Amino acid sequence: MNTVTPTESKTEVSKKRRQLRGVVVCNKSDKTVSVRIERRVRHPLYEKIIRRHSKVQAHDEHNRCQVGDIITLEETPRFSKTKSWLVIEQPSGENK
């Protein structure tokens, strides 16, 4: 049985959340970055591996991400209408 004491936060005992890796394509907004997520799928008829991509908005609390950085995102409850991802890991060499 999993009980939560009042001192524990909900994030410590939450479910495993989905994580994705992507490349920052835009960091012009305050505390927000646009990230391109790329995945490889097999074409249903020709069976060739093709690349598909999607672009998501992610929350970057300290504005550390730069264009071209490869980052890890974690799914979270919505920050705004379009933002439901959080930057959790950034490259080690932040100052390029």
Side-chain angles (χ1 to χ4, degrees):
M1 183 153 90
N2 199 2
T3 59
V4 179
T5 61
T7 57
E8 289 181 316
S9 68
K10 290 184 179 183
T11 57
E12 293 175 11
V13 288
S14 65
K15 297 179 185 177
K16 178 101 172 130
R17 294 183 175 162
R18 215 166 44 140
Q19 292 186 352
L20 298 175
R21 289 184 64 82
V23 178
V24 176
V25 293
C26 181
N27 64 347
K28 302 285 184 192
S29 301
D30 186 35
K31 297 186 180 184
T32 303
V33 291
S34 293
V35 182
R36 179 182 170 133
I37 308 295
E38 194 169 283
R39 63 192 188 344
R40 295 176 185 212
V41 295
R42 184 175 297 274
H43 190 279
L45 178 61
Y46 300 117
E47 297 186 359
K48 179 181 177 179
I49 301 296
I50 53 178
R51 293 185 294 181
R52 300 280 187 200
H53 73 274
S54 58
K55 195 163 81 167
V56 298
Q57 305 292 318
H59 185 70
D60 179 20
E61 182 65 35
H62 304 291
N63 291 320
R64 293 186 184 150
C65 295
Q66 300 298 319
V67 174
D69 288 349
I70 298 173
I71 59 173
T72 303
L73 305 174
E74 184 175 68
E75 195 171 29
T76 61
R78 286 188 180 268
F79 286 99
S80 68
K81 181 179 177 181
T82 60
K83 244 190 334 186
S84 60
W85 294 91
L86 175 68
V87 175
I88 59 169
E89 182 182 326
Q90 297 165 347
S92 58
E94 290 178 14
N95 299 330
K96 292 183 181 178

